[in-house]
Amino acid sequence: MTMFNVTEIRQNASKIITQAIESKEPIVLLQRSKPVAYIIEARAFEEMREKAKKAERYEKEEMAKETLQRLASLRKQMKPQPDSTPLIRQLREGDSRHE
């Protein structure tokens, strides 16, 4: 990976950009000997963004699958409850057998 400081970028921006495009390798921009930015080819940047989006979608899908599996597991552990509709109907109609 090639590195240039800010002064070199100012003086040779066109050459450095051309180098990034032709080599398809990122160029590190240094400020006070520390990396502060990268210059990369536009297509490489777009591919990285698309891969990041796909990874994020995949992660969300996996989380959703895990959540559904946990819900299914909890449902299996629950005891079946009787249907309360007949009891409610009887209470509403005033049937005194359940009082």
Side-chain angles (χ1 to χ4, degrees):
M1 203 173 328
T2 311
M3 298 181 199
F4 293 98
N5 64 38
V6 175
T7 304
E8 290 173 306
I9 296 288
R10 274 192 229 124
Q11 294 170 352
N12 301 306
S14 294
K15 287 181 184 178
I16 294 169
I17 290 170
T18 300
Q19 180 180 338
I21 293 169
E22 289 175 355
S23 70
K24 299 192 185 320
E25 291 291 321
I27 293 176
V28 181
L29 175 58
L30 302 171
Q31 188 172 41
R32 295 188 182 109
S33 300
K34 294 182 182 176
V36 292
Y38 291 89
I39 299 173
I40 63 171
E41 178 192 25
R43 177 170 282 218
F45 176 76
E46 291 166 3
E47 288 174 4
M48 285 177 12
R49 281 183 60 189
E50 189 58 37
K51 286 179 184 178
K53 286 179 185 177
K54 285 181 182 179
E56 189 176 321
R57 279 194 301 267
Y58 176 78
E59 187 176 312
K60 286 179 181 178
E61 288 172 2
E62 288 301 308
M63 286 176 60
K65 286 179 188 177
E66 287 176 22
T67 301
L68 289 173
Q69 288 172 346
R70 281 187 272 159
L71 282 171
S73 174
L74 287 172
R75 281 187 179 152
K76 287 179 183 177
Q77 294 174 17
M78 291 174 63
K79 295 179 183 177
Q81 299 293 318
D83 185 9
S84 60
T85 306
L87 176 60
I88 293 171
R89 185 175 295 131
Q90 288 173 353
L91 292 171
R92 192 176 41 211
E93 293 172 359
D95 190 343
S96 60
R97 286 185 287 176
H98 286 83
E99 289 183 7

